[in-house]
Amino acid sequence: MDIQIHKIKTVLKEQLKKRKMTYEDLAQDLEVSVPTIKRWMGDHDISLNDLFRICEILDLNLSDLHTLSANAKSSKDEGTLTEEQQKFLAKNMNYLAFFLKIHDGQTPQEIAEKNKLTKLSLDKYLVKLENLGLIKVTGKLKVKSTYGPHVDFGDGILAKTYYKRWIDGTAGFFSDVITNALMSEKSADPKAREHQTEATYSVANIKLTKESYKKWALEHDAAIRQLEAIGKIEEKAYDSDKLFTAVIINAHTSLPKESKFLRAIDELAGKIENI
């Protein structure tokens, strides 16, 4: 079961206990059977509509659910990858990519199908990652990550390799997407405008107090986390043809007024110099 959905169900169980409600009480209020409630609260999927119905009974909205689930403890232990794991994954980023997909809740079969892996290649990934202690096979032959919701890459070679690759990759992705969107918007060709990529990009250079910035940053981060929680639920509730992929890169910082890095923002359109 997806980690985020697991945490949401954990919150629902805690809220039922807090209100001294049993599964029988909830089943009666929702006019469903007790076994149905047990399935929803167990390993079975729960629809978005049924989740909303439960939240209504518990007097919770999605914002409340997000905040509570963000603070909920996972049943899995969190920890930093071992030095051996970090060294191997830093040299073999394809294994890291496979591991992160498993950690995010994808099955080996889904990963193999999407990436057109042969059975031999799939077995090699699974055997190596299991030998490294990164994944485990349960009694039901399900493959799960051995780490909690947040994998700590440490501060060594893996962290440096991964974050450099991640920053360069996302920057390149948005450079292509934003350029495509801006050029399509300005194009005189109606076909180009018809297939325009929906994307926004902005840079703001705002002078304000540290307190105001921190307050905004917390609210901004909470809004993204809430959108992620909604996405996890809707991905299970709707057919794939009803969904699209929203890509959000969240990057912001606060700098001293005279920071040398601000010059790059001031000179985005070009550097004005003597001629």
Side-chain angles (χ1 to χ4, degrees):
M1 180 169 54
D2 182 90
I3 290 172
Q4 183 64 32
I5 298 299
H6 172 79
K7 293 177 76 173
I8 287 174
K9 290 185 178 183
T10 298
V11 168
L12 294 178
K13 292 174 185 177
E14 291 174 349
Q15 292 300 310
L16 283 170
K17 186 176 181 180
K18 183 178 179 180
R19 290 163 173 75
K20 297 181 179 180
M21 290 181 65
T22 64
Y23 282 178
E24 287 78 7
D25 296 328
L26 185 59
Q28 185 176 356
D29 288 340
L30 294 175
E31 298 182 348
V32 298
S33 67
V34 174
T36 296
I37 297 296
K38 289 182 178 179
R39 285 197 300 272
W40 288 349
M41 295 299 185
D43 291 335
H44 287 73
D45 290 339
I46 181 171
S47 71
L48 185 61
N49 182 58
D50 291 326
L51 179 61
F52 283 156
R53 292 172 65 202
I54 294 174
C55 287
E56 185 176 358
I57 296 296
L58 297 177
D59 194 26
L60 295 171
N61 56 41
L62 280 180
S63 180
D64 296 329
L65 195 60
H66 161 71
T67 301
L68 292 169
S69 63
N71 296 325
K73 293 182 179 179
S74 172
S75 60
K76 301 179 181 179
D77 293 327
E78 295 185 35
T80 305
L81 297 177
T82 67
E83 185 176 351
E84 178 188 6
Q85 292 169 342
Q86 291 182 42
K87 286 182 177 180
F88 176 81
L89 294 176
K91 292 181 179 179
N92 302 274
M93 297 297 284
N94 55 324
Y95 279 87
L96 174 63
F98 191 101
F99 165 65
L100 292 178
K101 296 295 184 184
I102 293 290
H103 186 266
D104 286 341
Q106 293 189 28
T107 68
Q109 292 71 28
E110 289 171 338
I111 299 171
E113 182 178 350
K114 183 174 182 179
N115 296 279
K116 297 179 172 58
L117 298 180
T118 64
K119 185 179 185 305
L120 178 60
S121 292
L122 177 60
D123 289 343
K124 285 182 177 180
Y125 277 110
L126 294 174
V127 170
K128 184 61 180 180
L129 292 176
E130 186 173 25
N131 288 340
L132 284 169
L134 291 164
I135 62 174
K136 62 181 178 181
V137 180
T138 67
K140 296 181 180 179
L141 298 181
K142 291 184 177 180
V143 178
K144 295 185 177 181
S145 166
T146 58
Y147 283 83
H150 305 290
V151 181
D152 187 350
F153 290 166
D155 57 1
I157 185 172
L158 176 60
K160 293 177 182 177
T161 303
Y162 174 75
Y163 292 124
K164 175 71 165 58
R165 185 184 182 95
W166 184 82
I167 292 171
D168 290 347
T170 53
F173 166 81
F174 256 90
S175 175
D176 293 341
V177 171
I178 296 298
T179 300
N180 178 274
L182 293 177
M183 295 302 292
S184 298
E185 182 180 328
K186 302 296 183 182
S187 176
D189 185 355
K191 289 186 177 180
R193 292 199 301 271
E194 182 181 346
H195 298 287
Q196 178 184 346
T197 303
E198 292 187 17
T200 60
Y201 179 79
S202 64
V203 176
N205 187 356
I206 306 169
K207 292 181 172 59
L208 74 172
T209 64
K210 194 79 170 181
E211 291 72 21
S212 294
Y213 168 73
K214 287 183 176 180
K215 181 176 182 295
W216 171 84
L218 288 172
E219 293 172 348
H220 181 67
D221 186 63
I224 293 178
R225 299 288 84 78
Q226 181 177 5
L227 189 62
E228 287 178 337
I230 292 172
K232 292 288 186 182
I233 296 168
E234 291 192 341
E235 188 173 2
K236 294 181 178 295
Y238 294 98
D239 294 334
S240 59
D241 59 349
K242 299 281 188 181
L243 303 172
F244 71 97
T245 300
V247 180
I248 302 171
I249 294 182
N250 181 21
H252 53 81
T253 186
S254 62
L255 296 168
K257 185 172 62 175
E258 302 302 327
S259 171
K260 64 179 181 180
F261 297 110
L262 290 174
R263 181 175 298 177
I265 300 297
D266 292 335
E267 297 175 353
L268 282 175
K271 183 177 180 180
I272 301 175
E273 52 192 355
N274 289 317
I275 54 176

